[in-house]
Amino acid sequence: MRRAPGQGPAGPQVPQGPRIIGSVRRSHVASTFGPGAVVDFRAPASGAPLSGLVTGLEEWDGAAPNGRTGLLHFQRTYEPRLQHLLRVGGFRLPPVKEASDESWTDVLPVVRFPHWLMCPVCERLAPADEFSFDPNRPERRCASCSRDASTTYAVPVRFIVACENGHLDEFPWTRWIDCKCASPRLVLKTTGAGLAGKLVQCTNPDCSGSPRSLEGAFGKKALVTRGMRCAGKRPWLPTAPERGCTMNPRVVQRGASSVYYSAIESALDIPPFSPNLAQVIGPYANDVMKCPPEDWPAFIRINRLEEKSGTSKEELLRTFEEWRQWHEGKEADAPLEWAEYRQLKLSAQEPVDKGEFQTRPEPVPQELEPYLDSVVLARRLREVRALVGFTRIKPSSGPFRSDNNSRLGRISVQPPKWLPAVELRGEGIFIRFSEKALEAWEGEKVRARAGWLASRRTNPHAEPDEEALRTGPRFLLLHSFAHALMRQLSLTCGYSSAALRERLYVGNDPYGMCGVLIHTGSADSEGTLGGLVRQGKQEFLENTIREMLASMSWCSSDPLCITCAVTLSSPDNLSACHACLLVPETSCQHFNLLLDRAMLVGTPEDPSVGYFNSLLAKSS
């Protein structure tokens, strides 16, 4: 599914009115290309390169047709537990345009960013307003280099400025060379290789500035040493006021992955929230909780919920009561994964078939009984993934739901009443580890290795308890196991590695959890094919895990990988690299951080560090 963003005004000379300039997949809008992300397009008529910044939720509402703003929009979804956690009334699906519908007006707006362009022929460097353009055309052309039938289009500059608080700004081209001209005429000459060969100079004869290369521009304090501070700009929120910022601005490349790390919260549909009627009565969830139980029959009658949901009043009252018990109980304040973990744990005892949640227990292979407590095959799952914000420069491995997370870039000016989200439907395998085996394994040597990772990390924004959990042996083991299993399953289950996704259940008392769910994670190209569930059956799972451990026992980057030499420059991992543990970042909840292969198979010097060491020894 695709959506078409509209190009907003790029400068005062550009005529008003939206223009369709491209499309992206719906699932990308709620992840890598959400509000605040830089997206590259091609002009429809000429193919000229364009660079846009996806705007915030207020602009989404401004572009909605017929006043269908917020949750009045017809493309919406609900998940009560996730709504309660994020304190919103529901979720909007990014709009989808049918290719044959020429009258479609529901598009997502983008604004031009960066505003500075460069001519690839004469190397002129100037704001977009200073290049030539045709009415209602977003591309810009260099008039002096365009001859007859040949047109030279200006391209977006490669360098922009960002800070760890999520702000974004143009590269300070004139200040970089101390140009104080009233009408600067800048060029970006290529005189050699690398940044040292990129020379910025002003060709105005009266300019007092000196030519300067871009060498050293990517340094952490390259701008600060020249007296440049972050201006706190948020160009994706046109109506947001600029605020001062204490973070050091950093020069980054426009297309670098560090420009946008999406912050996503997700939840699975589980009983009592999983029946299909939750989609019908989801808009009324908050009102139901505010309404006394004795008034529920009148509430059902007034809102015609029996007719809308095709469900009897008695069934609706039972659902309301289950919601109320959850909302007023301790589980409402528990980690979001806790209720899912309990439901999956109970599913190991008997099959469950309730709407979007269909599971059945599977016997644990005999050879794996010392390590695993239960296996559950999920034939049908629904996951709602909501975009709550983003970070820049550095990803965050902690939860994004905290109100005091100052690094989280905002996707709206006002606190949102709804959030962009996508629905994923598919299948999965849930594996619960043995508590007794984990306690026996978590000895002094294992804790010392995990402590080494904790000492290498520098995460001043993390909560101490959360950081201790995520750098503990149990989290490292389950996270590494999930990655290793996804890599192995992608070879045998029929899904690509990018279509699989992990969901970790790790926690300490009173919410002790020790499980992993591997499920399909594609919203619009792969659903329930059956191949993943098949690999979770008893006769296949043992071989899958044995083959996984065999592949983890040796990496093509060893001995550099197992000795952690390859992660010296990225201290958020121990023994992990692209040849063994890393997966597509869309498959990982933690941006490929907090991984250690040795927690699975041990090290050459001490194999006992590995949780599955004895099983691996039997197989070899």
Side-chain angles (χ1 to χ4, degrees), residues 360-370 372-377 379 429-431 489 531-546:
R360 69 173 180 84
E362 182 71 16
V364 177
Q366 184 177 359
E367 290 293 323
L368 299 179
E369 287 180 352
L372 308 178
D373 267 355
S374 62
V375 176
V376 174
L377 303 183
R379 295 179 175 274
I429 306 172
F430 173 72
I431 298 175
L489 286 170
L532 181 58
V533 167
R534 181 175 183 272
Q535 292 303 312
K537 293 183 177 180
Q538 184 180 19
E539 60 266 30
F540 298 111
L541 185 60
E542 180 181 343
N543 288 336
T544 298
I545 291 182
R546 285 184 179 276

Side-chain angles (χ1 to χ4, degrees), residues 78-80 269 272-283 319 323 382:
Y78 299 92
E79 208 298 313
D269 257 348
F273 308 100
S274 60
N276 294 331
L277 61 88
Q279 284 297 309
V280 179
I281 62 179
T319 301
W323 283 17
R382 172 179 174 264

